[in-house]
Amino acid sequence: MEIQKKTSLKNYNTFGVAATTPLFTEAKSSIILQETLKSPLFENALILGGGSNMLFLDDFSRPVIKVSIPGVRVIQENESTAIVSVGAGVIWHDLVMWCVANNLGGIENLSLIPGLVGAAPIQNIGAYGVELKDVFHNAIAIGKKKGDSRIFDIDDCAFEYRNSVFKNELKDDYVITTVRLSLTKKNHQLKLEYGAMQEILDEMQISTPKIDDVARAVIRIRRSKLPDPEKIGNAGSFFKNPILPSSTIKKLQDVYPSMPTYELDSNFSKVPAGWLIEQAGFKGKRNGLVGMHEKQALVLVNYGGATGLELWEHAQHIMKDVHSKFGIELEPEVNLIH
Ligand code: FAD
Ligand code: EPU
């Protein structure tokens, strides 16, 4: 196990926040990870993937283990489906491209989501009408305290919109080493319902899309509105889209008839937090080194040099204003790291 002392994490988080850790190591296999977790030096370590869904607050001082377990392979298949087993350190988008190239369907709508495979179950990543849970087979994880290996089936994970058991009851308890997905080999079930998807496919003059066309369409949509973390620090949507009871939605729509909503069932609907933030006047508005992105009001950005606390203070300011204008509590999607 190679250990680096006093390491800057600036290049390890997509916000580009200049946090440091007293001890940093990379686990390139499950065995190395198990050994590292046993070491008293790495007690209470932060588990780091691609750092694309975390905000380091100023008092961060824990050791860090970056999970870099490689490998993608088909472990089981029949005529119509394949189970693909993927190391937690594989870049999510590389996996999507590998699946598309091998005609395995199911995750093409999740193209270009930053980060690593091991973090995908943590918030049940989702985009353009698909969530990880739709293709999830199981995951292997190691207990941080006891070093035990455990298989999590879908029912163990309590997947919900941007949520799972790993963010609640088992928060910080397990490190995911392998994720297995169940993908289609033929008769792919394409999900094309998301608003701009059909428009983009029409623009691309594609009438009978294949999975690679869907991936290309998603990539085009994402590039047109989401800022590239290589150019401007961000962690995607900073808040979750709030889920509200239909009675609350009705009252709000009496006052704000243009408020968009997405019905989940007869009792609940989602409201786009980006719309709430834009209406509260924050879209594209800069406050010192931070602000909300000009094309996507839900994306908190670091224009360069902001601290974690400055970013968090701005987020809190927005939460307060949205609450006083609409009576809605925004909840951060990004993990706040102390
Ligand atoms: P990290 O940020 O490194 O970690 C996130 C959390 O998971 C932390 O709590 C960490 O401790 C924990 N963790 C990481 N790896 C493991 C592991 N192996 N075992 C246990 N715990 C672990 N998300 C979406 O869902 N949909 C989107 O469309 C989307 N778009 C985005 C666009 C941009 C531009 C950006 C910057 C982010 C976007 N995200 C999106 C958020 C982010 O990409 C995902 O949440 C991604 O899964 C995070 O992966 P990561 O490896 O960077 O995780
Ligand atoms: N909107 C505005 N102003 C804005 C942004 C959005 O009014 O500045 C309204 C518009 O009505 C728009 C609607 O919000 O039609 C939805 O916007 P968009 O399609 O951009 O999606 P989102 O709800 O803002 C969610 C996810 C994204 C995911 C996309 C596509 C959450 C918190 N965010 O964003 O995930 O990529 O849908 O499925 O659910 C992430 O989690 O980091 C992330 C980027």
Side-chain angles (χ1 to χ4, degrees), residues 128 161-162 194 225 237 239 241 272 278 283 296-297 333:
Y128 307 100
Y161 162 65
R162 296 295 189 276
Y194 177 83
K225 56 181 167 187
S237 303
F239 301 104
N241 287 329
E278 181 171 350
K283 186 171 185 170
Q296 230 300 359
E333 178 202 288

Side-chain angles (χ1 to χ4, degrees), residues 4-306:
Q4 285 167 234
K5 287 193 179 153
K6 198 144 185 347
T7 303
S8 167
L9 296 169
K10 195 165 191 277
N11 295 330
Y12 289 102
N13 73 103
T14 59
F15 263 127
V17 165
T20 52
T21 173
L23 286 179
F24 179 93
T25 193
E26 225 174 315
K28 295 186 179 162
S29 71
S30 300
I31 293 171
I32 294 177
L33 176 66
Q34 236 157 352
E35 274 172 19
T36 311
L37 290 169
K38 269 190 222 151
S39 160
L41 290 175
F42 285 91
E43 211 182 317
N44 189 32
L46 170 75
I47 304 304
L48 178 70
S52 66
N53 205 25
M54 46 174 69
L55 177 59
F56 290 108
L57 297 176
D58 272 10
D59 54 355
F60 176 76
S61 60
R62 290 156 61 188
V64 169
I65 304 173
K66 180 166 163 57
V67 180
S68 299
I69 302 168
V72 181
R73 66 195 173 99
V74 173
I75 52 165
Q76 201 181 312
E77 62 186 314
N78 59 29
E79 214 179 282
S80 52
T81 54
I83 307 287
V84 179
S85 179
V86 195
V90 171
I91 294 172
W92 174 266
H93 181 65
D94 290 354
L95 170 67
V96 177
M97 292 295 101
W98 183 88
C99 290
V100 167
N102 285 284
N103 191 34
L104 293 172
I107 55 172
E108 53 283 354
N109 294 49
L110 305 179
S111 295
L112 222 58
I113 296 184
L116 308 185
V117 166
I122 307 298
Q123 72 160 8
N124 176 30
I125 56 169
Y128 307 100
V130 173
E131 289 185 336
L132 181 80
K133 72 169 170 49
D134 304 332
V135 292
F136 184 85
H137 181 67
N138 64 25
I140 307 176
I142 299 176
K144 276 173 94 176
K145 288 217 173 78
K146 294 187 194 146
D148 55 310
S149 182
R150 176 171 165 191
I151 293 184
F152 285 85
D153 291 320
I154 191 157
D155 291 341
D156 303 320
C157 294
F159 287 131
E160 285 175 9
Y161 162 65
R162 296 295 189 276
N163 211 353
S164 76
V165 72
F166 305 108
K167 286 189 91 171
N168 294 289
E169 296 95 297
L170 300 182
K171 188 171 159 54
D172 278 337
D173 285 356
Y174 281 90
V175 187
I176 294 171
T177 58
T178 305
V179 177
R180 291 168 177 158
L181 306 178
S182 174
L183 302 170
T184 49
K185 287 170 68 176
K186 57 183 188 184
N187 302 328
H188 305 304
Q189 304 294 307
L190 301 186
K191 301 272 171 58
L192 308 174
E193 294 80 27
Y194 177 83
M197 185 85 93
Q198 200 53 60
E199 259 167 58
I200 300 283
L201 287 168
D202 290 347
E203 250 176 63
M204 290 161 68
Q205 300 187 322
I206 291 163
S207 49
T208 45
K210 302 196 178 67
I211 54 174
D212 61 329
D213 300 317
V214 175
R216 282 192 294 132
V218 166
I219 290 169
R220 251 166 100 157
I221 300 172
R222 295 183 71 98
R223 288 208 170 122
S224 72
K225 56 181 167 187
L226 287 166
D228 177 356
E230 294 281 324
K231 296 189 183 128
I232 183 161
N234 77 90
S237 303
F238 191 83
F239 301 104
K240 294 183 193 178
N241 287 329
I243 295 173
L244 304 173
S246 313
S247 52
T248 312
I249 299 272
K250 200 180 165 309
K251 279 185 205 145
L252 281 163
Q253 276 182 330
D254 288 344
V255 187
Y256 304 100
S258 66
M259 184 176 84
T261 58
Y262 304 96
E263 196 177 279
L264 299 178
D265 57 37
S266 54
N267 297 321
F268 290 95
S269 294
K270 236 189 234 175
V271 174
W275 185 86
L276 299 171
I277 296 167
E278 181 171 350
Q279 297 303 309
F282 289 102
K283 186 171 185 170
K285 203 166 143 193
R286 189 168 169 161
N287 173 13
L289 301 174
V290 307
M292 301 314 278
H293 193 244
E294 61 194 1
K295 292 189 191 148
Q296 230 300 359
L298 189 47
V299 179
L300 175 64
V301 297
N302 175 5
Y303 288 103

